[in-house]
Amino acid sequence: MQFETYLIFLVTTAVVVFSPGAAAVAVASQGAANGGRRALGGVFGIASANAVYFALSATGIASLIIASNLVFSVIKWAGVGYLVWLGLTALFTPAGAIRVKRSGRQSSLKALFAQGFVIEFANPKALLYFAAILPQFLDINAPIVPQILIMGMTTFLIDLTSYTAYAFLGDRLTRGEMKNWVVGLVNKCAGIALLYAGFRMAGVTVMR
């Protein structure tokens, strides 16, 4: 892989990852409710889910999943249901799965990791992205495995950097001792963002 090609892959992936979405909202909420450092559990969950999708795409299994309407639909609708549930919880319950106000009780690292992993793994857009983009950057005249490893590690590091920033952004929100109405507004915005992401995900289809 030429260096110029790698830079294009780096910039493209960074733009996609840093764009706020359901995972960013979730990890920012984890940071607000549990602190930035503890929210790293969710960050690693999201990065791990993307690593799984990257590996599937690199080995060609993603093509089989995308080709199967049943498997793809199961992943998509499970993700839609989970995001809608999170969004409704944030909108209509004072202390649900998404909390922007910090309390004395904090979630375990395992629970935060699991939430981050499920939210990202249930998003078929990540699978579509890797399946579509990887072949565009591979140099078939050079060894394939080193290129896959370089792009995989690059993606993992971008994930960690991006979602760590969102986690500490959420942490900073609560350190400012926000008024209750501001906390409520942020919770409502998070809920709406998650519902919007769920509805957008429901419209995801595979171009055949």
Side-chain angles (χ1 to χ4, degrees), residues 56-206:
L56 291 175
S57 300
T59 56
I61 298 177
S63 300
L64 299 177
I65 295 175
I66 294 173
S68 171
N69 286 326
L70 175 60
V71 175
F72 184 81
S73 295
V74 168
I75 294 175
K76 182 181 80 171
W77 289 110
V80 170
Y82 189 59
L83 288 177
V84 169
W85 176 76
L86 286 177
L88 293 176
T89 300
L91 284 172
F92 298 113
T93 61
I98 299 298
R99 293 186 300 272
V100 182
K101 186 173 182 179
R102 187 170 302 174
S103 60
R105 183 179 180 183
Q106 295 182 331
S107 301
S108 67
L109 291 176
K110 183 183 295 185
L112 295 174
F113 177 92
Q115 186 185 51
F117 186 92
V118 170
I119 287 175
E120 188 64 14
F121 193 76
N123 182 2
K125 286 187 177 181
L127 179 66
L128 291 172
Y129 173 75
F130 289 128
I133 200 172
L134 286 185
Q136 310 301 322
F137 292 97
L138 287 175
D139 183 357
I140 60 175
N141 296 316
I144 299 298
V145 174
Q147 297 180 70
I148 292 294
L149 291 177
I150 290 173
M151 288 192 290
M153 287 302 301
T154 298
T155 301
F156 191 76
L157 291 175
I158 291 174
D159 281 339
L160 293 182
T161 302
S162 170
Y163 294 113
T164 296
Y166 279 113
F168 279 94
L169 175 62
D171 186 18
R172 291 295 297 271
L173 286 176
T174 51
R175 287 183 183 277
E177 296 296 329
M178 293 185 295
K179 297 182 181 297
N180 288 334
W181 71 268
V182 178
V183 172
L185 179 62
V186 175
N187 269 310
K188 295 297 184 291
C189 290
I192 292 172
L194 289 167
L195 288 175
Y196 177 74
F199 293 143
R200 286 293 300 272
M201 188 185 297
V204 172
T205 57
V206 181

